[in-house]
Amino acid sequence: MEHYRKAGSVELPAPSPIPQLPPNTLEMRVQDGSKIRNLLELALGQLERGNTRHVVFSGSGRATGKAVSCAEIVKRRVPGLHQLTKLRFLETEDSWVPVSPDTGLDPLTVRRHVPAVWVLLSREPLDPNDCGYQPPGAPPGLGSTPRSNYGPRPRRRARDTRP
């Protein structure tokens, strides 16, 4: 691909995996270049003022981690939020053009599948039987974690390496 340069990338439209959202849902489309501070300021402001009861953070490609981080920070700052997480692959179309037009190379179009995540945070209860549901206050991970697993680990003694 050293004879080509990327001309653009287009994410092909796909339906939302979380259907029938209430009309006052705040949808935060996280991009790779989005600032977490700006996203959180808007989402937390809307939730704390009571303007919305639902927030959806969505991101694809390199923005998936940033979308999850935003949702986790909001959950930590606003107690009692129910969470529904959906994962999908979205199709993107990349356009490549030859670096020099006199080489006789044709423009290329490449379709890729990139990971995407949608995280719905809601003040209202969601269906607990829905795949990807996490109740308020649940620790990250599967199921509940016993309290004995929390806290500092006991220190190990250094091994005696003398002969």
Side-chain angles (χ1 to χ4, degrees):
M1 296 294 286
E2 64 270 1
H3 299 293
Y4 286 90
R5 67 176 170 78
K6 194 171 188 177
S9 183
V10 177
E11 190 174 286
L12 301 176
S16 172
I18 306 174
Q20 300 158 359
L21 289 172
N24 65 344
T25 300
L26 177 62
E27 296 188 46
M28 304 293 292
R29 180 77 173 111
V30 180
Q31 301 287 329
D32 188 35
S34 299
K35 302 278 188 230
I36 291 180
R37 177 183 62 243
N38 297 340
L39 296 166
L40 292 176
E41 185 177 313
L42 177 61
L44 289 170
Q46 294 288 324
L47 280 169
E48 289 168 355
R49 283 193 296 271
N51 295 346
T52 186
R53 298 189 59 75
H54 312 277
V55 177
V56 176
F57 286 97
S58 63
S60 63
R62 293 186 293 183
T64 54
K66 194 175 282 192
V68 170
S69 294
C70 287
E72 291 298 325
I73 292 169
V74 169
K75 276 179 28 183
R76 195 169 297 136
R77 292 193 187 167
V78 181
L81 292 177
H82 297 261
Q83 177 179 332
L84 182 65
T85 305
K86 298 291 182 179
L87 300 172
R88 298 279 189 277
F89 280 95
L90 296 179
E91 198 169 25
T92 61
E93 197 170 84
D94 298 333
S95 301
W96 296 81
V97 294
V99 174
S100 57
D102 58 338
T103 58
L105 296 173
D106 294 329
L108 297 176
T109 301
V110 179
R111 287 192 173 195
R112 301 181 294 130
H113 293 280
V114 295
V117 65
W118 287 262
V119 182
L120 169 63
L121 299 176
S122 175
R123 288 188 183 269
E124 297 171 5
L126 301 171
D127 182 10
N129 298 323
D130 205 350
C131 186
Y133 174 76
Q134 191 175 34
L142 301 175
S144 60
T145 307
R147 286 304 273 170
S148 62
N149 287 350
Y150 292 121
R153 297 177 110 187
R155 297 184 107 185
R156 286 188 185 182
R157 288 185 169 180
R159 285 197 300 174
D160 188 11
T161 57
R162 289 181 279 170

